[in-house]
Every structure is written in C-alpha cells, then in structure tokens.
Amino acid sequence: MRSFPLLSSCVAALSSFASAELNHSQPLLSKQVLSGTFTPPQVFKNANLVRTTNLDKSYPRETINVIIENVDSKPQSEYYLPFESSLISNVGGFEAKDKKAPELGNFKVEVVEFDTESTTGFYLIHLPSPLAPKAQRTISITYSLLKSLSPVPAQISQADKQYLQYTFSAYTPSAYVTANQKTKLKFPNVDVPDYTTLPSELNAEKKTDPQRQGSTFTYGPYADIPAGASQPVTVRYESTKPVTHATLLERDIEISHWGGNLATEERYWLTNLGASLKTHFSRVEWQKSQYMNPPTTALKQINIPLAPGVLSPYFVDDIGNVSTSRFRPGARESTLELKPRYPIFGAWNYNFKIGWDAPLSTYLRKISGDSYILKVPFLEGPRMPEGVQYSRVNLRVILPEGATNVKFSTTVPLIDQSTTLHRTFMDTIGRTSLTLSAINLIDDFRDRDLIVTYDYPWTAGFRKPMVITLGMFALLAVVYVVGSVDTSIGKKKNA
Amino acid sequence: MAATEGDQFLKQATGPKTRGLLRVIILVLIAGAAVSSRLFSVIRFESIIHEFDPWFNFRATKYLVANGFYDFWDWFDDRTWHPLGRVTGGTLYPGLMVTSGVIYHFLRFLTLPVDIRNICVLLAPAFSGLTAFATYLLTNEMVSSPSAGLLAAAFMGITPGYISRSVAGSYDNEAIAIFLLVFTFFLWIKAVKLGSMFWGALTALFYGYMVSAWGGYVFITNLLPLHAFVLICMGRYSPRLYVSYTSWYALGTLASMQIPFVGFLPIRSSEHMSALGVFGLIQLVAFVEFVRAQLPSKQFQTLLRALVVLIFVVAVGGLVLLTVGGVIAPWTGRFYSLWDTGYAKIHIPIIASVSEHQPTAWPAFFFDLNLMIFLFPAGVYMCFRTLTDEQVFIVIYSVLASYFAGVMVRLMLTLTPIVCVAAAMAFSQILDTYLDAKTPKVDAKTAENGSSEPAKVAAAAVLSDGLRSTRNPLVGIYSYASRVTVVGFSAIYLLIFVLHCTWVTSNAYSSPSVVLASRLPDGSQHIIDDYREAYYWLRQNTPENAKIMSWWDYGYQIGGMADRPTLVDNNTWNNTHIATVGKAMSSKEEVSYPIMRQHEVDYVLVVFGGLLGYSGDDINKFLWMVRIAEGIWPEEVKERSFFTPRGEYRVDEGATDTMKNSLMYKMSYYNYNSLFPAGQAQDRVRNVRLPSEGPQLNVIDEAFTSENWIIRIYKVKDLDNFGRDHHSAVSFDKGHKKKRAAKRKGPKVLRVE
Amino acid sequence: MAPKNRNPAATQSSTQTVPSTPAAAPKPSSSSTKKPGSGGAYDAQDIVLGIWNKYVEKTPQRVKLLDTFMGFLVVVAVLQFLYCIIVGNFPFNAFLSGFSATVGQFVLTASLRIQTNPENKSEFENISHERAFADFVLGSFLLHFFCVNFIN
C-alpha cells in the first residue's frame, strides 16, 4: 500500500504528460486515448465542473454538475462524455438534465457506438435545444458504476471488517477542456486507511490533495485540464456491508381482467460481491456473534417493500418454499421480509423467486372504450441501506389474451424491447406480452414507473369460455361418436 | 364414509339408473375423500417431494421430461456412484416416471403450465382415487352386494396402511403400483370368471405396466399361478382357467421382459418359476381333459392322473437341478429374508439396515388397519362359506399377504387392499342383514332412523336371495332393539375408524422428513429446514462437479436437491462401494484420507442431531456403516472395537479409542463443545455429556454447518503445499496460533482445567 | 367366419401331430406319454386308435384347421429349441422372442379353439365366436408387438 501513491502519481504524471502532449497537436486524437475512428468535435468547454462521488452504498454514485459553454461558431446540441471501455459496460442509470430547469426532464442520452478495439466509449447527451455560441448551460449528469468496488483484502475472516477499494481519476474524464473542476468523495464513515495523495503542484489552490473533512474527501480544484486527461486515484475505505449484486432479475407482471388481479413474480440471481471468507464458514462463530449483531458482510435478510393491498406473497427457491419469511401488511406499505436459507457471505450465491398478487384496480384504468392504461413500477425489489445493483433486468408484462395496440413509456433506460405471444392456461392465440430489458440498474430505480396502454375489446374476454365450451362439446361429440361406433360392433358380435 | 351418507333420503327411489348414478356419485366422493386426506402434507408443509427415494424418482422424471423418452431409456448417470456411474435407464422401474411424463406432456398440450414438481407431488393422491375405484370393482366381483364394493372403496380410500405410502409428495413407485396391483387382480378375476382372452390380455397389459412400475410385481407373478394351481388341485380346472391363465402368462411375461431392468429374469430367476411351472401344468391338465373328453374310461383316467403327477415331479426336479446347476438364478437376498427374518441381519447388513425391511411390530397392524383388522378374518371366513373361484383367490391372497406383511413392514402395503375387501364384505354383510327392509313389520322407518349406511339398504333389497343369512335368520332381526344396537354400533365403529384414519394421516404420515416440524412453547409450528439449507448451500456455492461423500441414505437427496455428484446413494447396487464409504467414515483420518483422495471427494456430509435431539442421525446409524464395512474388510474395521469392554455403544468420555478416532465421530462433534460453556457439552440424542475437549480434524475443514447443526459439511483438504502430512501441518499452524491465543485466552483455559 | 358345419370330412396328414399338441410347453410330456402306453401295449394302441377315430369323427372342420396350425407351431417351437441347443443361443433376445412368439401363439390358438369348440358352449355363454376371434386377434397383435419390440 505504501508504494501505491508513489506509483499512481508516477502514472498520473506520465498520463498527464502524454495527454498534454496530445493536446498540442489535436485534441483527443491520439492512439492511446482513442484508437477508433471517432472523435467528439471540440465544440464545448467545461467552464466549471463539480463531481460528487457518493460511496455510501455498495456501488459509487456519481453526480457531475457542469457548466458547459459553446466555443464553436454554430449552435451545438451534442455533448459527449467519455468512459473507459472497460467501465462503460458497468455504467448504469445514466441520466442528464438541466440543473436549473429540472422540469424539462431528462435529456435524450445514448451510448455512441464505438469499435471494439477502442479503449474509450462515449455517452452522447442530446441537449433539448441547441446551445448558441458563447452561451452557457448547467447540466447535471448522474450515473452509477456497478461492480467497480473491489474488496481489499479479497479474503477476510468471518468477523473481520471489510474494506472496499475504488479507483478513479482525479480529473473528471471529459471530452472537452475543463477550466475548473473538483471532485468530492463521500465515504460511509471516517475509516479510510488508504488513499492516494496528490502533490500540491497539481492543485489550483496549491493544497495537498485530498482535503479531508470528516467522511468527505475533496480532490481539486484543478484548473485547465485538457480533454482526456486522467489522474488515477485509489481510495480504500471500510464498509462492512454486503455488496449485493443481482446478476439477473426476471420480473413477470401478469394481468387478469377476469380475476381483477395483477400477479407479479420476480426471480433473482443474487451474489454477494464482498470479500470472501478466508477460512470456511464457522457456525459456532456465527451463532455467537448473532447475539451482538455486529455489522457483517453477510446478507442476512432482504426487505422488500411492496404496495399496500398486496396479497398472498410467496418466497421459494429451486428446492421449495423457504419458510423463514415474514409478510407485514400495512396501510401505507407492506413489507416482505425474506431470510435466505443461509447468510450469504462474499462470493456466495443465492437464487430465489418471490411473487405476490395485487388488486388490479389500483394499477389499471380504462381510458376510453376498449383501451386501458396500466401503471406499474418498473422495478420493485429489496430496499436496503447498502443498496442493490442489477446487472440485467428483464421485465415482462403479460397482457390479457387479445390485447392489441400495445404502447409503453418509461424513464428507465432500456436496451431491448419486444412484443411476443405467451401461451399459457388454455390460450388459443396466446397472450400479448411485452418484454423490456435494462442493464445496470440500481435500487434507486425502484420508484420509476412503466406505463402501458393497450386496447382490449370486450369480446376478447369471452374467447376462453367459448373455447373451453367448444372443446367440451367437441369432446362429448367425439365420445358420443366413438360410443355409437362401439355399440355397432358389439351388435355385430352378438348377432 | 361420509360419502355414503349423501343419499339418505333417496333409498326408496331406486330405479337401476338412479342407483347407478348414485353409485357414481358416491365413488366420486370417495375418490375426493381419498385425495383430500392425502393433502395434509401439502397443507401442513408445502408441495414438496418427501423422504429419500422420491427424490430420485423426481430427478429421473425431470430428466425424462427434459431429454425425452429415448435418452431416458439409455440414461447413463455419471453424477451418482462416482466414479462408477450408474446405468440408470436400465436399472430402474420406469413406469412411475413415464406416467408423470405423459401427464406432463398432456397438460402441456392443453397449454396448462403445470410444474412437473406439482405433478409428481400430486400423482400419488390422484392414483389413490383410482385405487379406491379399482377396489370397488374388485369387491364387486367377489360378492353380489354392491354395498360391499362401496364400503371397500371407502376403506381403501382412507386406510392409513395405504396412505402411509401415498400422501402428496411421496412420489414413489408404490404410488401407482398399488392401483395397478388391485386393478390387475380385478382384471384377473374378470378373466377367470369369463374365460376371456380379452380380459386375459388386459390383465397382461396391466401386469406389464405393474412390472414397469414396482419390484413388487413378483407378488402378482406368484399369486396368480398359485390361484390357478389351487383351483386345479381343488379339481376346479375349467377351460376358462386355461384361457385366462395362458393368455395372461404368455402376454404378461413378454410384456414384463420389455423392461430392461427385468430383462430375462422371468425365465431365469426362481421367483418367476412358479408361474412357468403352472403354465406347463395347465397345458398338461388341458391336454388330459381334452383326452378325457374323448375317452370316458375310468381306468384310463386314473392312469392319466398318475401321468400328470409324474410329469409334475419330473418338472420340479428339473427345476431344482437347473437352479443348483446355476442356469436359473437362485433367490435374491431380499427373498431369503422373506422366509427367514434373521437371514438379512447375518448375511446382508445393507438390506437389514433399511428400516422398512424390518419385521413388522404388531401394533403397526392396528395402527395401519384399525377396525379392519378385526373384520378381516370374518370376511375371509365368509369367503370360505361360498368358495367360488374368485373367493378362493381372496383366501389365498389374504393368507400370503398376511404372512409377508408380518415379515416386512413395507409389505403391509400389499396386505391393505385385501383387508379392505374382506372387511368390507364382512361389514356389508352385517349391515345388509340388519338393515334388510324386507323383514316384516319393522321396516323402512327403523332403517331410516338407525342407519348411516342407506346405500346398503338399497343394495340389500336388490340381492336378498343370494345370501343365506338374509334368508334364514330373519328371526334375529325381528327385534327392533337388536337392529338399532347393531347398526348404531357399526356406525360408531365406522366413525371411530374415520377419526383414527384422519388422525394418523395428519399426524404420522404427512411429514416430508426433509422438513422437520416442531412446536414452539406458544404452540405455533416451527419449521426446521436444515436439510434444505445445507443442500441449497451446496447447490449454490460449490463447483458443479464437486463430489459429495455421505452415507447412502442421503445420496438421492443430494442428487435431487443439491444437484451434486455423490459416491453412494439409496440405490445400493454396489455393496463394495458403500462399504468403502463406510470404511472411510469409520476409520482413522490417516486411513480415510487416501480413500477420499482416491474417490476425488471434495466434500463430506454428515448428519448430526446432537444439538436438536434429532435421533435419525449418522452416529445412530454408525454401527451399520461399521458392519457393512466389516463385511468387506474384516481385518481393518471391527465392530467389536466400537463397543466398550462392557459392550456399550458410547460417545462420551468412555467411548473407545477407535470410536473417538473415527472420522464420523470427529466430524459429528468437531467444534461442538465450543457452543457450550466449557465441559458442559451435551448430546441431546444420546443424553450424555461429551468429553470437555472436542476432537481435532487434520485432513478436512469444516465448510458449512446448518442452523441447527443437523447437517455438517466438511471440505477435504488438498495435499499440503509443503508436502507435510496434514497432522503436522495442522499442529504447526496451531503452534503459531496458540502462542497468540494463549496471550488472550490462556488464563481462561487454565481455569477450565 | 362361416356358420358352423359339423363335417366329419377327411383328415389331413398333419393331424399326426395332434396327440403331441400339449407337448409344446412341458417337453417331458411327449416322452412320457409313451411310458404308460408301453405298460399295456395292446390296450394303449387300442386307446390311441379310439381317440383318433373319435377325433376324426367328432371334430368340426374349423377346429381341425386350428389344430393344424397348433401342430405347425409346435413343430416350429421344437425346431427353434433344437437350433438353440445345437447351435447356441447367441442372440438370446432373438431366440427368446421367437420361441415365446410360437408358445404365445399356441396358447392363444388353443384358447380360441376352446372357446369356439361347441362342446364348451356352457362354459362360455357370454363369448360369441366372433368375440372370441376378435379377442384372439387382439391378443396376437399384442403378442407380436411385444415380440418385435423385444427382438431389437
């Protein structure tokens, strides 16, 4: 650890040198930074940039508030934000909005195609209105980085504290020149044993970085940082909490007009990404420690808040019901308290399935005639102080058989969507099902809604009774025919 | 029983159609009662597969559903019996899995997305409904009173002897086999009565199905020939018997040979020889009869009879010779243990170690059959009175099954149907007699008042002439009082029977044994789910191919729930392999370690009930491991050395050194005493105080222990990095630790001693 | 099938096999039938002749046809058995299914014969001749299905 700051400062110096040199010729057009063919045009300048990294939860959440200025001669509306390509696949919940006019909503954001060899990828932010030359605008960008915290040491004893390590660049990555910037780090507590110190020369105010203030560290301010510059910094802090990570969450929402029911089923593939056990799990130690209930890296309990009015919840895994769950219905909120079969320590997995019913009337409204509007949360799932990260969420909304003209809207960034037919329970044509996929979500997305509108003619509701009736009739007819045939043979025989 | 009460007021209006409809309704209600009383386990616990064997059946069914029939037929399972593997497709009775597979695909065809697990769980109750129906049919063939059939169906539906093997979740071969057994018997009786090839062929078909479903088919294989043989001996040979028996045997034997697991057994093993012998005999008899019909000479008849006897003797002699010569396989061990209950204990400990192969304790008869055990002899006696062909069958069946049920707990199951039939016959006789509406003066009103079985009233009106009792002793039934008394008491007995069945079912037979239930002080139910906790831990947190060593009892469960390869399982086809595991468990660490390395064992799983007082744990089963291991390595494992000089089996301070050094002992008690204040460690199963110093483990590490310590999993260490043996490596590490620990804990330890 | 006609018509050469009919299943019977016969040679010859004459006289044509078929089956079965003993039973499946096919067919035919024999009318009141034949066909179908399946 001792050599770490030295090494990192060396790297930093080198990289800053390299980028400075690059900057002379042509901004951001160097092989080291971008081997792809694409470069964002240098039309903006970051007048002032403040980045806040929040490490409270088990993943870093970053907020970048930046005043951008158009330095081009024409109005511009496309702002790029670079990420290392290893990082970009872990960026989740990327959103940008106008800091001064949040009512405008989120800007349109997309990941720019980058070729596979490139080490840099970009998020492209489309400003709702082009920014005039010389004009300024304050935008606020938030995102979180999944799987970017690593436990150091990677193996600890059962009762040890866990330390997480986070590596980032002290200079906020940017595709443009940044006139003034600083980075604030918020740690969950003051136990930060290792961190990179940066020499005071780099700092605009000639202070040695970082500046500590309780559990908050500040790097910067730094003046006039060229595009693409980076200054690696590593911090290691105590966080004896599970790093809950869902590799996959499958969510099925099924609507039944007949039953007036909205059935939800969620299937989780959970892993604890925290430090694994150095020796094996010791039940004695665990049982003894349970009296004191100290902080632990093991995930002992999962609390899932549900909407009020939820009925008949269940909690099962691959081999059956897990009896250690409790359901607390409430007027404002019901809670499903799940206790996994065993405490989930670092590197342990746990797959399970939960589900519940809810009255449909709270979610579905008839707009006009045959069309309906459905409003459901895009993501429910655990609410825990340490947070949960989801690598991939597949949401499937199964509409009644015969629903047409399906439209949806949500503020959650999606990567895939499709409408298919799902056949179940004596369907003839199959139910219309809307499948939506999102990657890299975090539990902050819990309160985002999904709004689906669809047409469902009342005649479609009678399809199934009709089919069943016809089926029964057909069966009876067949039985009758077969029966009569049989007797005729019998008669022949008897004759 | 409740079902039959439905038609109280309809008893007089009994056209044949109404009666038929009533009978259908009653049967449906009985089936409903049979199914619902088996759902206690689902209500009490959950929809889960029970016990041990069902887990294998469940796993096999999943394989069948996932990979199709042909793959299933050729299934070689390399995840069991590591490293040998098992030719599963050829060594199982596929009837059960194929049945649920067919149901599954049928439901899928109807686009009903039913989970295969639920099909498996509910298969046994569903078939119990069918069994009740089959019992009805069988009983109807026996007596002319349809009330006996309904009673028998009701008895069959709720008798604990059958419920014990067919509660929801008990997905075992018996689930469908009992239905097939009863139905095959019904078809056989039908065939014998009518002398029809059609019914004979149907018998053969269902016999084939039975063979594919359960090893107990041998019971049919021997009972039907015996029936035929007895009939011949009684001089009741008829062409009908010839037709039914030969068509059954010829087709049934071929059908049974379709099952790979059975294969050539029907012509090779002794168990099947009686059927073949009777087949030959009946040909002979038929020929003789044929000739006799041509020549009615008295002298010649005697000659022929002598000839028949001679041939029979020669054939039996030939059979014995062939058996001695080894062409025909001798009886298997399980069959020897049927004749000599002590046989298995001496020669095949592995069979004796299974609790369901033990002789039945007498209360079990009452527990499982209750009231019927008294009525049963009466029913059999009634059969003696008329003694038609089919009643001879009842007599033979009851004698044989009673004997077998006494020898082996498990065979109580084959006894149950005949007890139900006989008891129902006796009981319906009582009711028919005492509720006969035809008796002068005291008629319908009385019957209505006293009766809870009016179906029988209707029935009694129908038959009335066939039974002597209804004709002659009318005298006895003139009395109003005797009528009420007898009927009233019968009703009470029936009520008690129903209560008993319900109580037994809900309390004794509904536990899945994978999940344990206990009561908290406040009376609420507390679920102890240690098995699944540990199995799920294995499933989630160990490599896909980690080999688990455990005693064979848990093999199927590990395969089913933890989805990991095992060394031995409940199939027990390879005694040596099981003995190897037994040896590893009962030897010292230094001996066990090479065994475990050789078999690439990654984890060892033991069951320990000491903390909770769970008596079915491995220490209690330990002696069987020792015995089985001793059977193969008498030099290295000795049962004697696990007993103290005074002949006690102890685990406390006084345990023998062999015991204390055995891997099983160490794994069970490792670290256990640190849960208690020093010196207070208590084993709650054996109620002893354990030595103050717990055992040391050198070659394995504790990997996981479940919440109540029932399951303990150990990881087998790799070879030491520095090439030391594990013992010195551990003591080296300990040495370091002790120095540090001594500073803090030193004084404490001193105070303890 | 045509209506019954009791026709004591001429017999075929194959009727020779009839006495050995039941020998199909228990082999020893064929050898031992002669033993008691040899006890009283003259009597035995008389008896056999008597049986023969009676058979020829009383048996309907159709039953004789069945008897011929049964005789043929016995011959086939014996041949198969001899082959198995002499050459060896290498594809045991094949031998077994062949052999059991003949035995099974034999007993089914015998059953048919019994059921259609007017002498047994009283025993089989419920079974008409057509019914018996239908049963016979069903049984044979099953038998040959199993055999083909078993032969691999």
Side-chain angles (χ1 to χ4, degrees), chain A residues 268-271 277 279-288 315-324 339-353 422-428 493, chain B residues 45-48 55 62 110-114 117 527-529 531-541 560-562 603 611 670-672 674-675 701-709 712 715 737:
Chain A
Y268 287 88
W269 280 259
L270 275 194
T271 305
L277 290 176
T279 54
H280 292 286
F281 172 65
S282 161
R283 177 64 67 174
V284 179
E285 219 176 295
W286 178 252
Q287 261 166 353
K288 281 180 180 166
F315 172 30
V316 296
D317 58 24
D318 295 354
I319 55 173
N321 181 44
V322 188
S323 53
T324 45
K339 253 170 91 180
R341 291 191 190 275
Y342 47 86
I344 305 164
F345 280 93
W348 287 10
N349 306 313
Y350 193 71
N351 303 347
F352 65 95
K353 179 161 86 173
H422 173 68
R423 292 192 77 213
T424 175
F425 283 114
M426 305 214 227
D427 289 343
T428 35
K493 265 184 198 164
Chain B
F45 296 93
E46 55 177 286
S47 166
I48 186 183
W55 277 101
K62 281 201 285 190
L110 291 179
T111 62
L112 283 173
V114 180
R117 178 175 52 96
I527 300 279
I528 295 164
D529 214 354
Y531 279 99
R532 284 194 291 177
E533 176 187 351
Y535 291 145
Y536 206 57
W537 181 84
L538 276 176
R539 188 186 183 111
Q540 294 278 324
N541 300 315
M561 284 191 262
Y603 291 91
L611 181 66
Y670 179 70
N671 241 344
Y672 181 61
S674 55
L675 203 62
D701 280 327
E702 182 186 3
F704 186 81
T705 299
S706 66
E707 193 182 348
N708 300 299
W709 290 62
R712 310 198 65 184
K715 172 127 181 58
K737 247 180 217 163

Side-chain angles (χ1 to χ4, degrees), chain B residues 314-385:
Chain B
V314 168
V316 168
L319 206 68
V320 170
L321 274 181
L322 280 176
T323 312
V324 171
V327 179
I328 294 167
W331 302 74
T332 55
R334 257 173 234 213
F335 273 84
Y336 278 125
S337 60
L338 276 184
W339 307 117
D340 175 9
T341 45
Y343 177 85
K345 212 166 196 174
I346 304 160
H347 297 280
I348 347 167
I350 197 146
I351 288 177
S353 74
V354 180
S355 61
E356 60 184 23
H357 292 161
Q358 307 285 349
T360 318
W362 69 264
F365 282 102
F366 183 75
F367 191 70
D368 277 355
L369 302 169
N370 194 254
L371 150 87
M372 292 193 296
I373 205 73
F374 310 120
L375 290 170
F376 172 49
V380 175
Y381 167 71
M382 276 175 55
C383 291
F384 267 113
R385 284 203 313 187

Side-chain angles (χ1 to χ4, degrees), chain B residues 555-709:
Chain B
Y556 278 165
Q557 289 185 347
I558 295 173
M561 284 191 262
D563 192 22
R564 293 289 173 271
T566 50
L567 257 66
V568 290
D569 63 29
N570 311 43
N571 185 233
T572 61
W573 65 273
N574 187 329
N575 192 30
T576 316
H577 214 54
I578 292 181
T580 311
V581 173
K583 185 183 172 192
M585 295 284 194
S586 51
S587 305
K588 286 190 286 190
E589 280 185 274
E590 296 82 64
V591 182
S592 308
Y593 188 69
I595 297 177
M596 294 192 287
R597 295 292 302 183
Q598 259 171 22
H599 291 85
E600 298 173 321
V601 175
D602 295 299
Y603 291 91
V604 189
L605 182 147
V606 291
V607 173
F608 171 67
L611 181 66
L612 210 63
Y614 171 64
S615 59
D617 69 349
D618 276 350
I619 290 282
N620 279 358
K621 292 176 186 170
F622 192 31
L623 281 180
W624 288 113
M625 304 182 203
V626 174
R627 275 175 209 155
I628 290 168
E630 190 180 10
I632 306 286
W633 292 280
E635 298 303 310
E636 294 168 71
V637 185
K638 289 195 181 69
E639 188 182 348
R640 186 68 196 83
S641 52
F642 287 86
F643 287 101
T644 57
R646 289 173 58 194
E648 294 163 314
Y649 179 65
R650 296 177 69 161
V651 294
D652 56 357
E653 204 75 66
T656 60
D657 279 347
T658 324
M659 181 75 188
K660 280 184 175 168
N661 286 326
S662 68
L663 192 67
M664 173 56 72
Y665 181 89
K666 285 184 169 183
M667 286 194 294
S668 289
Y669 294 109
Y670 179 70
N671 241 344
Y672 181 61
N673 56 349
S674 55
L675 203 62
F676 295 85
Q680 303 281 310
Q682 182 90 12
D683 184 325
R684 292 186 181 128
V685 176
R686 288 151 285 268
N687 275 323
V688 289
R689 183 170 292 183
L690 295 169
S692 56
E693 200 169 316
Q696 291 293 330
L697 279 173
N698 296 321
V699 299
I700 48 180
D701 280 327
E702 182 186 3
F704 186 81
T705 299
S706 66
E707 193 182 348
N708 300 299
W709 290 62

Side-chain angles (χ1 to χ4, degrees), chain C residues 80-141:
Chain C
Q80 281 188 1
F81 201 76
L82 284 179
Y83 177 87
C84 172
I85 287 176
I86 296 166
V87 185
N89 60 359
F90 162 55
F92 195 53
N93 270 350
F95 162 70
L96 208 59
S97 55
F99 190 71
S100 17
T102 46
V103 172
Q105 197 63 62
F106 175 82
V107 295
L108 286 175
T109 319
S111 300
L112 178 64
R113 186 192 187 284
I114 290 174
Q115 285 184 346
T116 51
N117 200 339
E119 286 164 29
N120 293 328
K121 189 78 179 155
S122 59
E123 290 274 1
F124 301 101
E125 277 165 4
N126 296 326
I127 298 172
S128 64
H129 289 194
E130 287 78 5
R131 171 71 193 264
F133 188 70
D135 288 355
F136 171 72
V137 170
L138 174 83
S140 308
F141 263 128

Side-chain angles (χ1 to χ4, degrees), chain A residues 149-186:
Chain A
L149 298 178
S150 49
V152 176
Q155 290 193 319
I156 56 171
S157 295
Q158 204 167 304
D160 282 356
K161 285 178 176 175
Q162 172 182 258
Y163 290 90
L164 295 177
Q165 178 173 298
Y166 179 47
T167 304
F168 61 100
S169 165
Y171 303 151
T172 307
S174 176
Y176 311 101
V177 174
T178 309
N180 191 19
Q181 68 161 303
K182 68 175 172 185
T183 297
K184 275 189 195 166
L185 285 166
K186 282 187 186 157

